[in-house]
Amino acid sequence: MGSYANGSTCANEDPPSAEEMKEPAFPPKPMPLHANGWLNDMKISSPTAVRVNIGNPGAFDPIYRAWTKKYPSAMNAFEKIVAYGKGKKTVLFLDYDGTLSPIVDEPDNAIMSDQMREVVRNAALHLPTAIISGRSCDKVFDFVKLTELYYAGSHGMDIIGPMGKTGSVTDNRSCTNSGAKQDKEVKIFQAASEFIPMIDEVFGLLIEKIRGIDGAKVENNKFCVSVHYRNVNEKDWPIVAQCTDDVLKAYPRLRLSHGRKVLEVRPVIDWNKGKAVEFLLDSLGLADSDNVLPIYIGDDRTDEDAFKVLREDKQGFGILVSSVPKESHAVYSLVDPSEVMDFLKRLVKWKEEEALK
Ligand SMILES: [Mg+2]
């Protein structure tokens, strides 16, 4: 019996049609502020999970096989990645949901396995490692529980350094620790702290609005409110879109972005996961270095900003985690979190061997 990618538990799901698998071009256009436009994006952002044979995903799927010609498996390309990174400082950026944990129906249950935690901890011992998530730093830390990492929560708007301490500064790039490289020093950055009261307000309003929609869930991620509809019957998706639209009308400084079966309300500021990657590289004193190999692994549309930064800088590699073909700024692909774990193990082994030389 085959496994289901993306943590889907829907045993009767059909494979997506070619139309469903199409992703919109990047960068994403601003979302139209009406429910029908959103509904279309909700469908595009939430492809039905496709049955794959884990370990050899393309074996029975010619479309996926063709796609991996454009985005080769990072496992198959491992030697090439290593050859490029030889002697360089490798920095690892990891998305959380769908990358380190399976996508699950209940967001609070997106638990990382102990095995994955150990692999990530091991990675952090060998190379600077950051988790960049749409969730708040606190929530990601609750799941990951590792003090050795950098955490960039709320799409990178809230950054803390190793040791897991938190703090608050209103601004800004002035706290960039250019040139600083003390691994154990906590560095803090909050790009949008002025928005926190507004986000709290919108969170309260959305809770009220969606109260009657079966399966809908609103989550406060400090700098971002997430409206999850993965448990909502598709016939009710227009109501979710309409309710969110109704609330957002009064907040022109907030905008909407689409994740997989989640609407995310964020401040209108020039900040994203790509900026967070740049900030962290700068904090590590590696922003202008030719001797660095940043690797970013993620599965979301919001990860595309980071893939784009690495592609444009020609410094590093984006790796898209996906079991369905989709357009991306990533260079390589991995099929699911279990392959991410295999890749990280291999990366650590390579670093261990390199240290012995
Ligand atoms: Mg994700």
Side-chain angles (χ1 to χ4, degrees):
M1 184 170 167
S3 304
Y4 286 84
N6 305 331
S8 169
T9 54
C10 303
N12 296 320
E13 282 179 341
D14 294 326
S17 67
E19 194 56 37
E20 282 174 314
M21 289 190 291
K22 261 190 209 162
E23 277 280 303
F26 279 91
K29 293 192 183 89
M31 297 303 162
L33 284 175
H34 57 81
N36 283 345
W38 288 12
L39 185 62
N40 191 40
D41 278 303
M42 286 161 83
K43 287 180 178 169
I44 289 169
S45 302
S46 310
T48 308
V50 64
R51 183 198 290 265
V52 294
N53 182 11
I54 300 297
N56 189 9
F60 307 109
D61 183 352
I63 299 172
Y64 192 90
R65 211 163 50 221
W67 180 72
T68 55
K69 286 201 166 51
K70 190 172 177 188
Y71 304 98
S73 160
M75 290 300 275
N76 294 342
F78 191 79
E79 293 306 326
K80 205 171 160 186
I81 294 171
V82 164
Y84 181 79
K86 195 176 173 194
K88 291 181 178 166
K89 175 98 171 171
T90 309
V91 186
L92 188 58
F93 299 97
L94 302 164
D95 170 48
Y96 181 73
D97 291 82
T99 298
L100 299 180
S101 70
I103 294 285
V104 292
D105 289 337
E106 173 55 54
D108 288 343
N109 294 341
I111 307 292
M112 181 189 201
S113 70
D114 288 341
Q115 208 185 350
M116 180 69 97
R117 183 174 296 104
E118 194 51 32
V119 170
V120 173
R121 195 183 73 85
N122 228 344
L125 294 177
H126 290 85
L127 57 163
T129 302
I131 293 187
I132 304 192
S133 172
R135 294 181 189 255
S136 70
C137 275
D138 291 349
K139 281 199 179 145
V140 180
F141 185 80
D142 281 350
F143 282 125
V144 179
K145 299 184 176 72
L146 294 171
T147 55
E148 295 89 346
L149 310 179
Y150 291 85
Y151 291 88
S154 309
H155 300 282
M157 283 189 275
D158 189 13
I159 297 177
I160 59 174
M163 304 298 282
K165 291 179 190 168
T166 58
S168 175
V169 288
T170 50
D171 202 8
N172 213 311
R173 301 214 116 197
S174 58
C175 70
T176 301
N177 288 279
S178 270
K181 214 176 166 181
Q182 297 82 1
D183 282 350
K184 293 300 170 197
E185 186 181 319
V186 177
K187 303 171 188 78
I188 299 155
F189 177 68
Q190 292 188 341
S193 48
E194 61 176 304
F195 285 92
I196 293 174
M198 192 188 288
I199 289 288
D200 284 344
E201 200 174 287
V202 167
F203 172 65
L205 291 171
L206 282 169
I207 290 262
E208 279 302 310
K209 272 275 183 190
I210 69 141
R211 196 182 289 277
I213 307 172
D214 201 23
K217 185 180 164 78
V218 185
E219 187 181 19
N220 187 343
N221 286 315
K222 195 169 176 181
F223 295 95
C224 157
V225 179
S226 303
V227 182
H228 297 275
Y229 57 92
R230 62 178 67 133
N231 291 334
V232 176
N233 191 312
E234 194 166 337
K235 75 173 171 44
D236 292 335
W237 288 10
I239 309 173
V240 175
Q242 189 62 57
C243 288
T244 311
D245 188 26
D246 287 349
V247 171
L248 277 198
K249 272 182 188 139
Y251 295 90
R253 297 180 72 205
L254 299 178
R255 69 180 170 94
L256 188 95
S257 63
H258 292 263
R260 198 186 315 169
K261 296 189 179 171
V262 60
L263 297 173
E264 293 183 316
V265 177
R266 297 201 256 165
V268 180
I269 59 165
D270 185 21
W271 194 260
N272 55 44
K273 287 182 169 184
K275 300 264 183 188
V277 165
E278 288 175 332
F279 175 84
L280 282 164
L281 287 173
D282 194 26
S283 297
L284 292 163
L286 299 169
D288 301 316
S289 171
D290 292 332
N291 209 29
V292 59
L293 170 63
I295 296 176
Y296 188 109
I297 311 178
D299 74 321
D300 274 297
R301 283 176 66 171
T302 56
D303 294 316
E304 292 293 335
D305 293 314
F307 294 153
K308 206 172 163 192
V309 162
L310 297 191
R311 189 179 269 268
E312 285 171 359
D313 288 352
K314 295 186 177 62
Q315 269 193 322
F317 302 117
I319 301 176
L320 177 69
V321 182
S322 182
S323 60
V324 289
K326 53 185 178 186
E327 285 303 307
S328 173
H329 290 293
V331 177
Y332 297 113
S333 65
L334 289 168
V335 70
D336 62 7
S338 93
E339 250 200 13
V340 172
M341 186 159 75
D342 291 342
F343 178 82
L344 295 180
K345 279 183 190 167
R346 239 173 127 178
L347 199 64
V348 168
K349 191 160 175 267
W350 165 55
K351 278 287 157 193
E352 282 172 347
E353 287 168 1
E354 202 180 51
L356 293 174
K357 282 177 187 166

